[in-house]
Amino acid sequence: LLREIKLLLNKLTEANFETITEQILKIGVLKSGMTTGVIDMLFDKAVEEPRFAPLYAKLCCRIWNFEVEALKR
């Protein structure tokens, strides 16, 4: 699953942010307990590609909010 997410992150742009975010959330990152691995991957990508760091930060927030909402259910 991390490989699939990494492929999606390589395609991430401002224009397709919503689509890619939904695809990442649908993969089932939270159910599989891979949230920490995904966040670590996002951090590494942000360091390697500072131009896209704001997008990666925005994605981290979306994953966090999604996880919090899932816990409320």
Side-chain angles (χ1 to χ4, degrees):
L1 290 176
L2 286 176
R3 186 175 178 182
E4 189 175 344
I5 291 169
K6 189 168 187 171
L7 291 172
L8 289 170
L9 291 177
N10 288 336
K11 298 176 185 178
L12 187 67
T13 65
E14 188 67 48
N16 67 9
F17 178 81
E18 293 300 325
T19 303
I20 297 293
T21 298
E22 291 301 318
Q23 289 176 2
I24 289 172
L25 294 175
K26 285 181 183 177
I27 287 175
V29 173
L30 305 175
K31 293 177 185 173
S32 62
M34 295 174 45
T35 305
T36 302
V38 172
I39 298 301
D40 287 345
M41 189 184 312
L42 286 168
F43 177 81
D44 292 342
K45 296 275 295 168
V47 170
E48 293 169 9
E49 303 172 33
R51 178 174 168 230
F52 293 103
L55 277 179
Y56 298 133
K58 188 175 170 182
L59 181 55
C60 282
C61 288
R62 289 288 291 276
I63 291 170
W64 174 258
N65 289 335
F66 187 80
E67 185 169 325
V68 168
E69 289 301 316
L71 290 173
K72 288 181 182 179
R73 292 182 218 150

